[in-house]
Amino acid sequence: MTDTSRPASDDTGPERPGDPADAHPPPERSDGIRVPPDRSTDAPAGRGNRRRAGARRHRAGLTPPEILGLSGTDPAAAAPRPRPGVRRAAVAHGMLDPTAGNPAEDDDLAGTTPAAGHSRQVAARRRRVVLAALALTAAASAVTLVATLVNWAPAAPPARELTAAERDRLAAMRVVNYRDVRAGLHLTVSGTAGRTDLLGWVDWARRLVYLDVSGPGAGPLRGLVQATPTVAVVRPDPEAMSTPAMPPLMPPGDDWRLCADRSLDPLLGLVFDLALDRPEPADGLSGRWLRHEQVTGETVDVLETSLPRPVATGGATPTGSPSAAPHTGVARYWLDSTGRLHRVETTLPGVGQVNLQLHRADRPTLRPVDALGGRPGLPRALTTAERHRWQRLPARLRAAGGATVTLVGPVGTDLDLRGSGWLSWTAGTAYLGVTALDATDRRVLVRHGRRTVARIETRPGADPAARPPLPPPTTGWRTGPHRTSALDPLVSAALRAARGTGPQGSTRRIRGDSHRGVPVDVVEVETARGPTRYWVDRTGLLRRLETRTPAGAWAQLDLTTGRTPRLTPPT
């Protein structure tokens, strides 16, 4: 029988060190056959021991071939080396000499030469520049995004026809302005001559506009303007600054004259036509709603419709021309929810583009200049004391004897007269020298009698406003119509005040005022020739006399009682 057991050479082969089977040979049975050991119980412990041994070898820096002695390297070379990054940084910063130390590290330190360090510094600087550029780009993008979000607004609704409520507001606009009485305004005119600014106030209830005119396009109108629907007076100031500014609240008292420039007519007409004392029907209004806007923190509607119809004044336009024709064209109105107007934009023929802004909170009381009748008052009947002084007026004038007089007469747009002289109530005559502002090289001497008025033209002396020469010329006097005849009613009324029982007609007190610091009562007498105003002080003396001129303005004759030269009536 053949023996099938393992050869003896298998049992006596070379010993393998480290084999666990050598330490614990398998047990043998009685018949000589080895039994394999049961490893089911100690297998987990063996695996755990192997893991702990591997961890200890890793901490010691040993690899499995070094443990088994199979590596052919020098044990000293197998020792753990310092990390090359640490030594390389030390050499790059000059903290370590690269020639000293372990020669085995020369290959790791090959990149730490000065040239290589300079290259790394250049690369670092490039990285910093790129990062800075990226940061700036990000900041600019953020700013652009924020600005876009802040200024962004949703698309506005399209223009449409006016609703019934909007037509009612537009129809009530002029009544609201009239009830608000006054408002500040800023008119901007963009014409062919340049920009013109008109700043000031409007009083719709008393029908008065007070403006300062400036800007490159103002021309001869530069200065102050006061106007009513029938007459406008200006105070030119060519040396005034071109910067827009509000006029002084208390207007100057002298140098006002009628406005001869017709270019103000459409502008003043537009301002006055924005107010009406009664509502107009809304059925005849048509137009478009354009958009919403913010004005002084308030939401308003921008409405487009035709210009308002002119308000009938029953007289002339502010510069004395015939009544204005109806406005043509369209305008845009900025209206709030209560029908209050804030802004108007339109284009006027012969003027240009007009922008009118209203400042509703700026509403001071306006005082008209003397050429427009002076400040308003509350007309009433005369009291007993006032009537007594009025009845004594003729006697007081005759007792005074005479007065020195000065005269201001805005007769027409092309004729503004100034004069001075004397008046004698006892002789019933007056002697004046009159000069026109547009013709200062000529002077007219005027002599008034009870029934005759005579004139003679002469050349003025060094001072055109000086009193007439004494004695009067003896020859050359002529009677008949003259361009200074418009002032004859004013002088005649002053002479008649001392005759008989005084002025005849219905009387009423217009207001209290002052003349050169003296308190007076302004008494108006309505006559067939028109209204005449007498300024009477508390002693019963006449201080001023006013009558209307053909241009609609008021002419003034100021009197200072006292001694006068002996005057003789004309023959």
Side-chain angles (χ1 to χ4, degrees):
M1 177 177 237
T2 306
D3 187 5
T4 61
S5 63
R6 297 176 58 185
S9 60
D10 294 338
D11 298 334
T12 61
E15 182 180 359
R16 292 177 294 181
D19 190 353
D22 296 336
H24 302 280
E28 294 184 359
R29 292 189 311 184
S30 57
D31 54 2
I33 299 175
R34 292 182 180 182
V35 179
D38 187 4
R39 300 180 182 272
S40 59
T41 58
D42 58 353
R47 287 193 299 269
N49 292 335
R50 285 193 297 270
R51 284 195 297 268
R52 287 191 294 270
R56 288 192 297 272
R57 288 193 302 270
H58 178 70
R59 285 193 299 270
L62 302 179
T63 59
E66 296 168 346
I67 296 173
L68 297 177
L70 300 179
S71 174
T73 60
D74 188 1
R81 295 183 299 173
R83 288 179 295 173
V86 176
R87 182 173 173 80
R88 185 181 297 111
V91 174
H93 289 80
M95 300 173 61
L96 185 66
D97 186 1
T99 60
N102 192 346
E105 298 181 2
D106 291 345
D107 293 339
D108 294 334
L109 299 178
T112 62
T113 61
H118 176 70
S119 300
R120 285 193 297 275
Q121 293 176 1
V122 172
R125 283 197 297 269
R126 290 177 179 173
R127 287 193 296 272
R128 287 194 293 270
V129 170
V130 172
L131 290 175
L134 292 175
L136 289 176
T137 303
S141 301
V143 171
T144 304
L145 178 61
V146 171
T148 303
L149 292 177
V150 169
N151 297 326
W152 177 84
R160 54 171 173 76
E161 294 296 323
L162 294 177
T163 63
E166 291 164 350
R167 286 197 300 270
D168 291 338
R169 264 193 295 154
L170 196 59
M173 173 192 71
R174 300 209 276 180
V175 177
V176 172
N177 289 338
Y178 184 82
R179 291 175 179 173
D180 282 353
V181 181
R182 295 178 295 272
L185 60 86
H186 183 182
L187 271 164
T188 304
V189 181
S190 301
T192 57
R195 174 185 171 121
T196 304
D197 291 280
L198 299 92
L199 279 78
W201 302 275
V202 56
D203 188 327
W204 283 302
R206 291 193 170 97
R207 313 290 285 169
L208 178 67
V209 169
Y210 180 29
L211 302 171
D212 177 274
V213 183
S214 61
L221 291 174
R222 187 186 308 276
L224 301 179
V225 175
Q226 279 204 2
T228 67
T230 57
V231 63
V233 293
V234 298
R235 190 177 187 269
D237 188 3
E239 304 300 328
M241 297 179 60
S242 60
T243 305
M246 297 295 285
L249 190 57
M250 182 63 67
D254 57 351
D255 293 336
W256 291 91
R257 61 192 66 181
L258 289 172
C259 181
D261 195 325
R262 298 284 298 276
S263 63
L264 284 179
D265 285 0
L267 296 174
L268 297 175
L270 174 64
V271 174
F272 286 121
D273 291 340
L274 291 176
L276 196 62
D277 58 354
R278 57 188 177 278
E280 53 188 341
D283 299 337
L285 296 176
S286 62
R288 297 189 305 161
W289 177 94
L290 298 181
R291 61 186 179 274
H292 290 300
E293 280 195 13
Q294 290 288 324
V295 176
T296 62
E298 186 176 3
T299 302
V300 299
D301 294 312
V302 182
L303 309 179
E304 184 179 73
T305 184
S306 58
L307 288 167
R309 293 188 298 272
V311 178
T313 60
T317 57
T319 56
S321 59
S323 299
H327 298 299
T328 59
V330 297
R332 293 183 177 182
Y333 300 89
W334 277 251
L335 281 179
D336 62 17
S337 58
T338 62
R340 187 169 282 107
L341 181 65
H342 293 269
R343 183 178 174 185
V344 180
E345 282 187 0
T346 187
T347 300
L348 297 177
V351 177
Q353 185 176 359
V354 179
N355 185 338
L356 189 154
Q357 292 184 342
L358 295 174
H359 306 288
R360 313 297 305 207
D362 189 8
R363 336 177 33 250
T365 300
L366 304 183
R367 176 166 182 166
V369 295
D370 293 337
L372 299 181
R375 67 179 180 85
L378 297 175
R380 59 170 175 79
L382 298 178
T383 64
T384 303
E386 293 166 352
R387 185 171 296 279
H388 179 67
R389 287 196 298 268
W390 177 252
Q391 293 172 350
R392 294 180 54 204
L393 176 63
R396 291 285 294 154
L397 295 180
R398 290 192 296 268
T404 302
V405 298
T406 57
L407 182 146
V408 177
V411 177
T413 57
D414 57 347
L415 183 60
D416 211 318
L417 302 177
R418 301 292 186 269
S420 61
W422 301 275
L423 180 147
S424 174
W425 286 297
T426 56
T429 185
Y431 178 37
L432 305 172
V434 180
T435 304
L437 294 180
D438 60 343
T440 57
D441 58 338
R442 290 181 297 172
R443 192 178 192 190
V444 181
L445 302 181
V446 184
R447 297 174 69 185
H448 286 259
R450 293 182 182 272
R451 294 182 177 85
T452 306
V453 179
R455 296 174 176 87
I456 184 174
E457 292 193 4
T458 63
R459 292 201 173 270
D463 184 8
R467 294 184 179 91
L470 289 172
T474 57
T475 60
W477 295 93
R478 298 182 180 180
T479 60
H482 194 270
R483 63 176 186 165
T484 62
S485 300
L487 296 179
D488 292 349
L490 180 63
V491 180
S492 299
L495 293 173
R496 288 195 306 269
R499 299 173 188 168
T501 59
Q504 302 299 312
S506 61
T507 59
R508 60 176 182 169
R509 182 183 184 272
I510 298 298
R511 66 179 184 271
D513 213 315
S514 65
H515 182 267
R516 298 174 183 173
V518 177
V520 297
D521 294 315
V522 181
V523 180
E524 184 177 272
V525 179
E526 190 67 38
T527 66
R529 299 181 182 91
T532 303
R533 292 180 178 177
Y534 298 80
W535 293 40
V536 182
D537 65 14
R538 299 296 189 262
T539 64
L541 284 177
L542 184 63
R543 296 283 181 170
R544 171 179 281 186
L545 200 67
E546 292 180 315
T547 59
R548 281 191 182 273
T549 66
W554 289 85
Q556 294 87 35
L557 183 71
D558 292 331
L559 305 98
T560 303
T561 57
R563 296 184 60 181
T564 61
R566 185 172 182 273
L567 303 178
T568 58
T571 57

